[in-house]
Amino acid sequence: MIDKNNIIERLDILFEANIISVTVREKSEAVIDKFIAISNDFDQEKMEVFCVHLAIALSRVEKDECEAGVDENIVAEIKQNANYAEASKILDEVKDLIKIEIPDCEEILLLIHICNLLER
């Protein structure tokens, strides 16, 4: 069972340290709720890592600080993951929820985390 309060504490730390904005914090919490609605039995540690990475990624997008390019070997490898199709669907739902265009370089990293979450 996911302990949402633990994840929220991590987001609050990022917010209080001025690493993420209030908007990113709110969007990240909405994504947490989305994942809990999908399943409440994701691994807590994996969920915490994903949520911190998501918040940092959204902050980079918000500040237009995304790194260009992505390693094609990583892309090829993640596309071979058994959970890739489901992870892609979930990421599309997340993007619809938060209304932010996520660059490919950030998207592939989020897909890696989502695939990892789906491995139970």
Side-chain angles (χ1 to χ4, degrees):
M1 185 156 150
I2 296 297
D3 182 352
K4 181 180 173 182
N5 290 331
N6 259 7
I7 300 168
I8 295 301
E9 284 178 21
R10 289 173 183 264
L11 293 177
D12 287 342
I13 290 167
L14 293 172
F15 175 70
E16 290 165 11
N18 292 318
I19 295 171
I20 64 172
S21 68
V22 68
T23 303
V24 167
R25 193 212 168 282
E26 290 168 353
K27 290 182 182 293
S28 297
E29 185 171 358
V31 172
I32 294 166
D33 291 338
K34 170 79 174 165
F35 272 82
I36 290 172
I38 291 170
S39 174
N40 201 14
D41 73 340
F42 289 116
D43 179 84
Q44 181 73 27
E45 186 176 336
K46 290 179 182 180
M47 189 69 183
E48 290 171 3
V49 170
F50 166 71
C51 291
V52 168
H53 182 87
L54 171 72
I56 301 281
L58 294 179
S59 183
R60 283 193 297 258
V61 171
E62 184 178 73
K63 296 173 185 174
D64 199 26
E65 295 176 347
C66 296
E67 295 181 22
V70 64
D71 186 326
E72 291 305 316
N73 292 326
I74 294 172
V75 174
E77 187 174 328
I78 197 66
K79 286 183 177 182
Q80 297 297 325
N81 187 292
N83 295 311
Y84 177 78
E86 185 178 359
S88 292
K89 179 180 170 272
I90 291 170
L91 184 57
D92 287 342
E93 292 172 9
V94 164
K95 291 189 301 187
D96 287 344
L97 174 70
I98 62 174
K99 307 280 190 255
I100 293 178
E101 185 66 33
I102 300 174
D104 290 346
C105 58
E106 297 291 351
E107 194 169 290
I108 198 67
L109 296 173
L110 293 174
L111 283 168
I112 291 168
H113 283 288
I114 296 170
C115 284
N116 192 32
L117 275 170
L118 293 172
E119 290 177 10
R120 296 187 187 134

